[in-house]
Amino acid sequence: MSGIHPFRVLRAKPLWIANGVITGVLALLFAVFYVGANIDPVDHMTKLPVGLVNADKGAVVGGKQVSLGDRITESIKKSTAGGDKIDWKVLDEKEMRDELGEGKLYGALVVPADFTASATALTGAGTTGTPVRPTLTVLTNQSAGSVGSSLARAATTQAAENASLQVGRELTAQSGTGQAKPPAAARLLLADPAAVTVKDGHPLDSHSGLGLTAFYYALVLVVCGMLSANVISGQVDHALGYTHNDMGPLRLHRPLIRATRVQTLAISSTLMAVLSLLMATLVMVGAIGLMGMDAAHLPLLWLYSVCAIAVAGIGALTLLAVFGTPGMLVVTLVFIGMAVPTAGATTPLQALPGFYRFLAEFEPLRQITGGIRSILYYDAQGDAGLTRGWVMMAAALVTAALFGFGVLGWYDRKGLHRIPAEKKPEKAAVPA
């Protein structure tokens, strides 16, 4: 025994420097990823997809066919021509419903079929009764993300109100040219003739977390894979005799079974793949059976969940095997730090700074969330994110295998074993 008191290690500068650098960098990176991504979504918003539907059939006014819906559509497109915050997609009603039902639109503005007829009726002289305001309908889509839906609602409502004011100026000018003036009540409406109503364009079931259950379910799958990788890696090391296993005050140790790094990763990955069946089942039992989450396509959801946990877990095992002790920090940054802000579930990708949109192209949580969202909200349509989810998970698994087994194979070939083989003692020379 050295006789040195254990607390004397606190005097060692390398201990403070190493831990200070690691924890400081981790704190800084999490602040940048989490706060930086969501600090100003309105300013960073670029080409948020919103539908624009003109169903107006027009009306005959003064012997001419008039369509105020066409004017509104052109006005909205022209007013945003110089900016790029909203990407107005001119669609018919069926196309708009289809894209809302695939999560491709965050909202829509609909000009109804009777808009021109209702608006021009306000200028009719001699009209009796209370004038009826024409209506512009703003549709929201919480299934695509509550923040994105709110941003789309705000932009669409403002566009509808501006369009109403423009139509009001035209109707006021038109009513002033005739000999008969509209009733007093109608004249009050002419300045701002259209009523703006807000409706849910793609209603969800009540136990869908306002469109967030897909994100939280996907996050559970990723966390299960990530944390299980840490557990499995440690338990495999213990089973092979490379590390002790502390169980409270007890320390267990097994005889050493020498294994190459490649063999160790293969053992860990096999455990992860098999245990993913159990974890995915229990996640569904907890979320759907115990907590009552609304869900459909349960066999597909189970299969997708198994694959998501397995891919996330094997990816994490690869990073742990390649980087060793720092690997857990890398895993935390990849699967949590960079993944949550770029998942596109809370803040839409179109409202993130460019760097975060780049990360979202390959971050695992975004791909998994897209597939879960398709299964839960969009009837498991491939175009709604399910196809991309499958493809990206397959690509991630192949990448992890090539990277992990490639690097570890190189470690093994270079003789960088975890415990070097003991050298046999040299025989003493026999005197002649």
Side-chain angles (χ1 to χ4, degrees), residues 47-65:
K47 296 187 180 302
L48 189 75
V50 177
L52 182 57
V53 177
N54 177 23
D56 186 17
K57 295 181 179 179
V60 178
V61 180
K64 296 181 180 180
Q65 181 70 23

Side-chain angles (χ1 to χ4, degrees), residues 89-379:
K89 295 183 177 294
V90 180
L91 307 166
D92 60 34
E93 287 192 82
K94 182 181 182 305
E95 291 172 333
M96 178 267 295
R97 294 290 178 185
D98 289 343
E99 296 209 6
L100 283 175
E102 295 176 354
K104 295 180 179 179
L105 297 177
Y106 286 93
L109 175 61
V110 179
V111 183
D114 62 347
F115 185 82
T116 298
S118 298
T120 55
L122 297 177
T123 66
T127 301
T128 60
T130 303
V132 178
R133 298 181 72 184
T135 301
L136 294 173
T137 303
V138 172
L139 298 179
T140 61
N141 190 11
Q142 285 192 332
S143 66
S146 55
V147 174
S149 180
S150 297
L151 292 172
R153 173 179 175 172
T156 307
T157 301
Q158 182 179 3
E161 292 172 348
N162 292 339
S164 176
L165 294 174
Q166 179 180 342
V167 170
R169 288 191 291 268
E170 295 182 13
L171 294 178
T172 300
Q174 180 182 334
S175 65
T177 60
Q179 296 180 351
K181 293 185 178 181
R187 290 199 302 271
L188 293 175
L189 292 177
L190 287 180
D192 186 11
V196 179
T197 62
V198 179
K199 297 180 179 179
D200 193 343
H202 185 72
L204 295 174
D205 294 324
S206 59
H207 290 182
S208 296
L210 301 178
L212 287 175
T213 51
F215 166 68
Y216 286 113
Y217 192 94
L219 182 60
V220 168
L221 300 180
V222 171
V223 169
C224 283
M226 182 189 76
L227 295 182
S228 298
N230 192 43
V231 173
I232 289 172
S233 177
Q235 291 302 310
V236 168
D237 283 348
H238 169 63
L240 294 174
Y242 283 95
T243 61
H244 299 284
N245 191 12
D246 290 332
M247 303 293 291
L250 302 178
R251 168 163 288 193
L252 307 178
H253 187 68
R254 293 179 179 274
L256 177 64
I257 302 175
R258 292 194 178 276
T260 65
R261 293 178 182 271
V262 168
Q263 290 170 337
T264 303
L265 179 58
I267 294 169
S268 301
S269 298
T270 302
L271 272 172
M272 177 61 70
V274 174
L275 293 178
S276 296
L277 302 171
L278 172 65
M279 287 185 281
T281 302
L282 294 178
V283 168
M284 290 186 66
V285 169
I288 301 172
L290 298 180
M291 305 310 299
M293 184 185 80
D294 288 316
H297 305 283
L298 297 186
L300 178 60
L301 178 62
W302 178 81
L303 178 61
Y304 191 89
S305 300
V306 170
C307 294
I309 293 175
V311 171
I314 292 173
L317 285 170
T318 297
L319 295 175
L320 290 171
V322 170
F323 294 105
T325 301
M328 196 59 203
L329 298 178
V330 178
V331 168
T332 303
L333 288 175
V334 171
F335 288 94
I336 300 296
M338 295 187 293
V340 172
T342 60
T346 50
T347 303
L349 301 182
Q350 294 83 357
L352 295 175
F355 170 70
Y356 301 90
R357 290 199 296 272
F358 166 74
L359 289 179
E361 292 300 316
F362 54 84
E363 270 295 327
L365 184 56
R366 185 250 173 136
Q367 327 306 328
I368 295 173
T369 299
I372 296 294
R373 180 183 284 160
S374 174
I375 295 171
L376 295 183
Y377 306 153
Y378 305 133
D379 199 27

